[in-house]
Amino acid sequence: MQEYYIASVSWGKDSLYMLLRLMEERAPLNEVVFYDTGMEFQAIYETRDKVLAMLAERGIEYSELKPKRPFIYDMLEKPVKGKNGFHLGYSWCGGCARWGTAGKVQTLDANAKKYVDKGYTVFQYVGIAADEAKRIERLPPQKIAPLAVWGITEAECLQGCYHRGFEWKENGFRLYDLLDRVSCWCCAN
């Protein structure tokens, strides 16, 4: 059975560093997938744009996936039946409100499944660092955390990205000087 390797990349520090290392080490990589909520910081799109040419040079397919409905609709307008009756929207993402993450994972897994349906054994690289033990423990076997395998921490990912010229600047500020996570600007995490 033929293998197919997909890197799930948010264009934040961990997944970007993972991708850069995978390419540097010439690891098997067929496709890079980005789930675009439409709510990312502009710096995320600028980081993506810097890397697209590198992917093209290496013949790595690039796919951009989107939510089924506009993100802002699900967040603030969608009629939702909750414990206390109906309300509008799932609310802000983050913390225990993981609806955005759930939608992202479902969409990324559906993308991988289309290759499984074609007869491939699919492996998904995910940007989980060595110091994220709880997240590593929950990974299913078909998902690989190269950063954890390499022993690379989140702080090392950030420094590795800075060293390679990626800074996530917005309005003159490096976002990682202000935030722990950078992707969706509306995420409470």
Side-chain angles (χ1 to χ4, degrees), residues 40-88:
E40 271 67 35
F41 283 102
Q42 183 59 36
I44 290 295
Y45 298 115
E46 291 168 5
T47 300
R48 172 204 59 194
D49 293 347
K50 283 177 70 172
V51 179
L52 289 180
M54 296 166 63
L55 298 177
E57 286 172 15
R58 290 165 175 78
I60 299 169
E61 183 178 341
Y62 175 72
S63 300
E64 224 164 87
L65 308 175
K66 298 192 182 291
K68 292 177 187 174
R69 295 173 301 276
F71 193 85
I72 201 85
Y73 173 79
D74 281 351
M75 186 167 79
L76 301 175
E77 300 173 24
K78 181 179 191 240
V80 176
K81 183 180 179 189
K83 295 176 191 173
N84 301 322
F86 282 93
H87 58 89
L88 295 178

Side-chain angles (χ1 to χ4, degrees), residues 109-124:
D109 288 348
N111 179 69
K113 187 179 181 316
K114 72 184 182 187
Y115 297 104
V116 171
D117 292 345
K118 293 178 182 178
Y120 289 93
T121 299
V122 176
F123 297 98
Q124 296 177 64

Side-chain angles (χ1 to χ4, degrees), residues 3 38 48 90 139 158 163 172:
E3 295 177 344
R48 172 204 59 194
Y90 291 122
L139 282 179
L158 181 58
H163 179 73

Side-chain angles (χ1 to χ4, degrees), residues 9-11 32-36 40 44-45 62-65:
V9 179
S10 69
W11 305 112
V32 170
V33 178
F34 169 50
Y35 181 79
D36 182 10
E40 271 67 35
I44 290 295
Y45 298 115
Y62 175 72
S63 300
E64 224 164 87
L65 308 175

